[in-house]
Amino acid sequence: MTPILKNRAGADSVHYPPADPRLIHGAVALQARLRPSANAIVHRGEHIDYATLDAAADTYAADLYTAGVRPGTVVPVLLPRSPQLVALLLAVLKCGAAYAALDRRWPQERIDRIVTASSAPILVTEAELPVDTPCWIVPSESLRMAASRGGAAPSVSIDSSSAATVFFTSGSTGTPKGVLSPHRATTRLFSGVGFADFGPSRVVLQAAAVSWDAFSMELWGPLTSGGTCAIASTDYLLPDTLAELITEAGVDTAWMTSSLFNLLVDEDDPGRPCFAGLRQILTGGERLSSTHVARFLTRYPDITLFNGYGPVESCVFATAHRVTAADCTHPEGIPIGVPVPDTAVYILAGDRVLPPGTVGEICLAGDGLALGYLGDAEATAASFSVVVLGEAPVRVYRTGDLGTLDSDGVLHFRGRSDLQVKISGHRIEPGEIETVARRLPGIREVAVVPVPAPGGGYERLAMFYTARAPTAPAPAMVRRALAAELPGYLVPHSVHHRPALPTTATGKLDRSTLLASL
């Protein structure tokens, strides 16, 4: 195959291999052909066009294929947010493999566990790490230099049902669950008839942690649609940071969790409004605060606000709703919307479809569904099942969320059927934290309790424990030990030693009494 860079530099006879827009890298390659000189990425003042990005990805794909990356494998990538990270993720996909973007802030033990679980041929990183998996060290070069090397991506045969990404989320057993998501789960969101505009002239902020499925929306949304991805240089989005990115990078579209949205609304300075210049905001991950939304819409009537809902098992969003001022007065909260493209929502009781207005379990179907949990057939079978709906068998994901569909087909959230919660957009299984805590020396009983936020949802975690006689480890020591094994969002904000954990008359843990003791 003729090197892509040479073709794009003006060869007399230009030939491009087929680009399937149902594949993430295929859709990006198609945009590179349609608008090769358009900005694909902006980062710290550097502008990378589509031709350079795609050519660099081809070069890296050739390198990775030589290093043993093949279709059907999972490749962990441990790199900071940068244009080079984007090119390397594309390169993994061009090899027919799936990538697992790991958060560098995670404790080393968690990274080791995930790399081992992925059975990866290599770990893509900046430097050698003390892991059993061979490290492939990223070349110290600019994307333009990588593109100029002119490597050709390997010829592989995959389709939209092939695995593309692995997202790791909290697991009740104490081990993070790897959600294996296919190409179509991402590309379905940006087919041109989606819930928001990510196409040419849009500049989308990328600030979410790379391990989240929201990262896919912020990155692949614009890059598969012809827009521009503006990569934040910091891990935390503050009002001043957002205002600077709007001014300097031209950001007009941003995703933020409802907790972050509330914070920015509270901190918004009339003298330097942090939202001014945006055209679209996508939020969700937790129940929206009607009070904060009403204040925002009053001040920024020209900015479109979307409320999105979707577990990682259905990749980013399963439903979306354009929020209006009237939604803020809805007695049961702001709706979470109607299905995004190639997605279906059912309210079920077991295998039975419930009529509109009836509370039941939210079950999802369609192209957004994950293939399953990496290396865990039992958990996959428990969460994904085939249900006969009408006369046709339908594969569904049972979310554990409760909701109703109204007469217009709009979905409304009604809570959880278990103890799982979301805080700052992170899905949290208290059982994972409790399992890790019980392994610590001197710990006997453990209870992790979400602390409600004033505007609805939850704002932090509190952990209570009892100790094995005669010496109790200090709460500060327990918290430090947890921080060494768990990512920051799973480390309880406060840790409390108790001589005993309270129970109800039926012998169950009394969580309300624990909360009242804070």
Side-chain angles (χ1 to χ4, degrees), residues 291-302:
T291 301
H292 288 84
V293 169
R295 284 163 52 195
F296 172 83
L297 293 177
T298 298
R299 184 162 190 188
Y300 299 98
D302 295 329

Side-chain angles (χ1 to χ4, degrees), residues 240 243 267-274 276 299-300:
D240 287 348
E267 297 293 325
D268 194 24
D269 182 356
R272 194 187 185 199
C274 66
R299 184 162 190 188
Y300 299 98

Side-chain angles (χ1 to χ4, degrees), residues 42-413:
V42 177
H43 180 239
R44 293 183 173 178
E46 181 184 21
H47 294 72
I48 303 295
D49 62 40
Y50 272 95
T52 300
L53 173 63
D54 195 48
D58 280 345
T59 299
Y60 289 139
D63 294 342
L64 293 176
Y65 197 80
T66 299
V69 176
R70 295 291 187 273
T73 58
V74 174
V75 179
V77 179
L78 185 64
L79 295 172
R81 279 198 300 264
S82 66
Q84 192 175 48
L85 167 65
V86 180
L88 281 159
L89 298 182
L90 282 171
V92 171
L93 297 176
K94 285 173 180 277
C95 290
Y99 68 79
L102 307 183
D103 193 327
R104 299 194 308 160
R105 295 170 294 178
W106 287 347
Q108 186 61 46
E109 182 175 335
R110 187 180 183 86
I111 291 173
D112 294 346
R113 197 158 56 237
I114 287 174
V115 171
T116 300
S118 67
S119 302
I122 59 172
L123 165 64
V124 177
T125 186
E126 293 178 305
E128 288 288 344
L129 292 174
V131 294
D132 294 333
T133 301
C135 292
W136 188 83
I137 309 303
V138 175
S140 178
E141 62 185 353
S142 68
L143 281 199
R144 290 178 177 83
M145 184 179 296
S148 69
R149 289 201 276 127
S155 177
V156 297
S157 179
I158 60 172
D159 59 32
S160 64
S161 66
S162 300
T165 62
V166 181
F167 306 111
F168 285 92
T169 188
S170 182
S172 59
T173 63
T175 301
K177 291 193 294 189
V179 179
L180 195 61
S181 183
H183 283 263
R184 65 191 179 203
T186 293
T187 56
R188 88 193 199 283
L189 296 167
F190 317 116
S191 60
V193 292
F195 51 90
D197 178 13
F198 295 91
S201 80
R202 294 281 75 80
V203 181
V204 181
L205 174 62
Q206 197 294 290
V210 299
S211 57
W212 284 16
D213 58 336
F215 173 75
S216 287
M217 178 174 66
E218 294 176 336
L219 181 64
W220 304 129
L223 294 185
T224 61
S225 307
T228 301
C229 177
I231 301 176
S233 57
T234 61
D235 290 324
Y236 301 100
L237 189 62
L238 300 174
D240 287 348
T241 310
L242 178 58
E244 288 170 6
L245 287 163
I246 293 170
T247 301
E248 297 174 7
V251 166
D252 63 10
T253 300
W255 145 260
M256 57 193 70
T257 65
S258 55
S259 294
L260 178 58
F261 175 79
N262 292 346
L263 172 65
L264 294 179
V265 170
D266 287 336
E267 297 293 325
D268 194 24
D269 182 356
R272 194 187 185 199
C274 66
F275 296 109
L278 291 179
R279 298 183 63 176
Q280 303 175 116
I281 292 179
L282 302 104
T283 186
E286 304 151 87
R287 194 188 296 266
L288 289 189
S289 163
S290 296
T291 301
H292 288 84
V293 169
R295 284 163 52 195
F296 172 83
L297 293 177
T298 298
R299 184 162 190 188
Y300 299 98
D302 295 329
I303 300 179
T304 302
L305 179 67
F306 291 96
N307 184 23
Y309 162 81
V312 65
E313 286 85 352
S314 189
C315 196
V316 188
F317 286 160
T319 65
H321 177 74
R322 181 170 179 170
V323 183
T324 66
D327 293 320
C328 299
T329 62
H330 197 288
E332 295 176 330
I334 295 171
I336 53 178
V338 297
V340 299
D342 298 315
T343 303
V345 176
Y346 302 95
I347 303 298
L348 301 182
D351 292 350
R352 180 170 58 89
V353 178
L354 298 176
T358 306
V359 176
E361 184 178 17
I362 301 174
C363 295
L364 307 175
D367 286 349
L369 292 197
L371 302 174
Y373 298 113
L374 186 64
D376 196 337
E378 184 178 349
T380 299
S383 296
F384 297 87
S385 60
V386 176
V387 179
V388 177
L389 301 173
E391 297 181 356
V394 178
R395 181 174 183 258
V396 301
Y397 168 65
R398 298 183 181 274
T399 68
D401 290 331
L402 302 177
T404 62
L405 286 170
D406 64 23
S407 58
D408 295 321
V410 178
L411 184 62
H412 300 261
F413 183 72

